[in-house]
Amino acid sequence: MSTQNLSRYNDVPDATGMKIGIVVAEWNSEVTSVMKEGAIQTLKEHGVKDGDIILRHVPGSFELTAGAQMMAGYTSVDAIISIGCVIRGETPHFDYICQGVTAGLTQVSINFEIPVIFGVLTTNNLQQALDRAGGKHGNKGVEAAVTAIKMVALKRDFQQNG
Ligand code: RBF
């Protein structure tokens, strides 16, 4: 499994004026809440105003698609960060949820022409998830926020310069 840690980052564009939606799954909330806090703090550090962060929760990672679709449809966010944690159990549910949310979020991104960032941990056990939510492999919520900022900046670059 990749252990790349992008939580120490540089060259992040100025995010002043960006409006960012965050959709967080409540399943495994000890993991997703840490990722959410990391994402919010990172957005603010780079210039996103409190009032320009729109936060909503959904029950589980499978609902991230519907949550992101609603966020895109009912708000004017520049990007959506989806945050979830799916832990492999004994059932095939893991694969169904992971496949469903991956395809679903991609579809929302295409439908609405906005970046939808995949901040969904898919791990074999809880420890691997905790390692990536403020543990030894950083905080994937922080990385998701940086990715969102970079993608909004990329879109603005295309809009202004072609
Ligand atoms: N949601 C998660 O976000 N992470 C999980 O690890 C997770 N495991 C699940 C395991 C089973 C057996 C079931 C039935 C659901 C699980 N869910 C999980 C919830 C899922 O994303 C969704 O909320 C529900 O299936 C209702 O649509």
Side-chain angles (χ1 to χ4, degrees):
M1 190 178 288
S2 166
T3 55
Q4 188 174 4
N5 182 348
L6 301 178
S7 298
R8 290 179 295 279
Y9 46 81
N10 49 31
D11 294 335
V12 181
D14 179 19
T16 304
M18 292 184 185
K19 191 168 177 179
I20 309 289
I22 305 178
V23 184
V24 185
E26 290 165 343
W27 261 73
N28 299 312
S29 61
E30 70 270 46
V31 175
T32 60
S33 62
V34 176
M35 296 169 72
K36 172 184 75 178
E37 292 307 327
I40 291 172
Q41 189 187 330
T42 303
L43 292 175
K44 287 189 198 168
E45 275 171 19
H46 291 280
V48 181
K49 289 196 207 74
D50 251 333
D52 286 335
I53 299 173
I54 302 182
L55 176 66
R56 294 289 186 273
H57 290 82
V58 294
S61 291
F62 192 74
E63 284 73 43
L64 286 171
T65 297
Q69 176 94 3
M70 292 180 217
M71 179 76 80
Y74 290 106
T75 73
S76 58
V77 292
D78 297 303
I80 298 170
I81 298 169
S82 61
I83 292 178
C85 171
V86 194
I87 297 176
R88 186 182 286 279
E90 297 298 315
T91 75
H93 258 85
F94 177 89
D95 296 309
Y96 294 132
I97 294 171
C98 293
Q99 284 164 14
V101 70
T102 306
L105 291 174
T106 303
Q107 198 61 53
V108 175
S109 183
I110 293 167
N111 287 350
F112 286 91
E113 288 187 33
I114 59 170
V116 177
I117 311 306
F118 190 74
V120 182
L121 294 179
T122 57
T123 62
N124 287 324
N125 55 54
L126 178 61
Q127 188 57 53
Q128 287 178 342
L130 292 170
D131 288 345
R132 290 157 179 78
K136 66 180 176 186
H137 295 312
N139 186 339
K140 298 296 172 188
V142 171
E143 295 179 26
V146 170
T147 304
I149 293 168
K150 287 183 172 178
M151 289 304 292
V152 174
L154 178 67
K155 184 169 179 180
R156 289 184 175 175
D157 180 29
F158 276 123
Q159 286 170 331
Q160 282 158 22
N161 306 312

